[in-house]
Amino acid sequence: MSVRLVKAPIDIAFSEVQGDEEAYLREYQQLSESDEDPINQWLKLARAKGDTSDTDPVLLNLMVELYRKVDNLEKFLKNEEPKRVSLSHEVDIDSIGFEHFKLSQDILKEGVEYYGRVAMPVHPKRDVGIFFTALDGSLAKITKMHERDEREWSAYLTARERVLIREAKEGRE
């Protein structure tokens, strides 16, 4: 099987699904709903009412992100950590494709289903929950990812391809 992959420096923490599927599904849902925080709910309501029609969307998004950073800083100072399931492995992802990724180490068991948390280097930075199946010791096929996360994964893949093409062109000149 031929899988097209692009070098991408991302981290993943993961564990085998067997036995703890309910806990992993719960976290998977929570990670996808992280955009439903109070500031986002307020923003959606304001947009629905038309209260943001005279506002610069870029400035508004930056203000919302600033609010989130202050909120996260407050949680950090109060030592309020988000509850996450414990995952047994933490490793670098070497390269990604639209439906696949390859780990930097051969630690997967072929045919086994895993749950993982990927630290996506997008704005705003956030963790993405995924379910995947090992195709061999390091190659995995993504079996379950939220639609919004799929779009960000694809956009990141495309951005990485552009960077690598640019670097290759500069190397030839």
Side-chain angles (χ1 to χ4, degrees):
M1 167 173 52
S2 175
V3 177
R4 194 169 132 272
L5 299 171
V6 173
K7 291 280 185 196
I10 308 177
D11 299 327
I12 185 171
F14 65 93
S15 288
E16 287 184 32
V17 168
Q18 120 189 49
D20 240 356
E21 188 168 4
E22 283 301 314
Y24 297 140
L25 281 170
R26 189 169 31 259
E27 181 179 280
Y28 174 79
Q29 292 302 333
Q30 287 172 343
L31 287 174
S32 75
E33 294 163 1
S34 65
D35 63 334
E36 296 302 321
D37 59 11
I39 189 70
N40 231 12
Q41 290 174 354
W42 169 83
L43 186 57
K44 282 182 182 178
L45 184 61
R47 283 184 175 146
K49 289 182 185 175
D51 293 345
T52 61
S53 59
D54 295 334
T55 307
D56 179 8
V58 173
L59 186 57
L60 184 60
N61 283 336
L62 287 172
M63 291 301 293
V64 166
E65 286 309 313
L66 184 58
Y67 172 86
R68 283 193 183 117
K69 291 216 180 267
V70 169
D71 197 36
N72 287 338
L73 185 57
E74 182 181 24
K75 287 177 184 172
F76 175 76
L77 292 173
K78 289 181 176 179
N79 208 16
E80 296 174 357
E81 286 288 319
K83 291 183 180 173
R84 300 280 170 86
V85 293
S86 178
L87 300 172
S88 57
H89 302 284
E90 197 165 323
V91 68
D92 294 334
I93 292 177
D94 179 60
S95 50
I96 63 173
F98 287 106
E99 296 179 343
H100 299 83
F101 62 89
K102 187 169 187 65
L103 300 179
S104 61
Q105 302 171 24
D106 282 348
I107 57 175
L108 300 174
K109 298 175 195 163
E110 187 174 339
V112 173
E113 185 181 6
Y114 295 89
Y115 168 74
R117 224 176 10 246
V118 177
M120 285 298 291
V122 295
H123 180 76
K125 286 189 176 186
R126 62 189 192 84
D127 289 337
V128 170
I130 63 171
F131 286 89
F132 60 94
T133 302
L135 299 179
D136 65 27
S138 62
L139 183 64
K141 178 172 178 42
I142 299 169
T143 56
K144 187 173 188 176
M145 180 187 280
H146 287 283
E147 186 178 328
R148 172 183 166 215
D149 299 335
E150 284 179 23
R151 285 192 305 268
E152 288 186 2
W153 180 272
S154 296
Y156 179 69
L157 171 66
T158 304
R160 289 295 307 155
E161 283 181 312
R162 285 189 191 120
V163 166
L164 294 172
I165 289 169
R166 197 173 315 123
E167 287 174 356
K169 281 183 181 179
E170 290 171 0
R172 283 186 274 156
E173 292 174 6

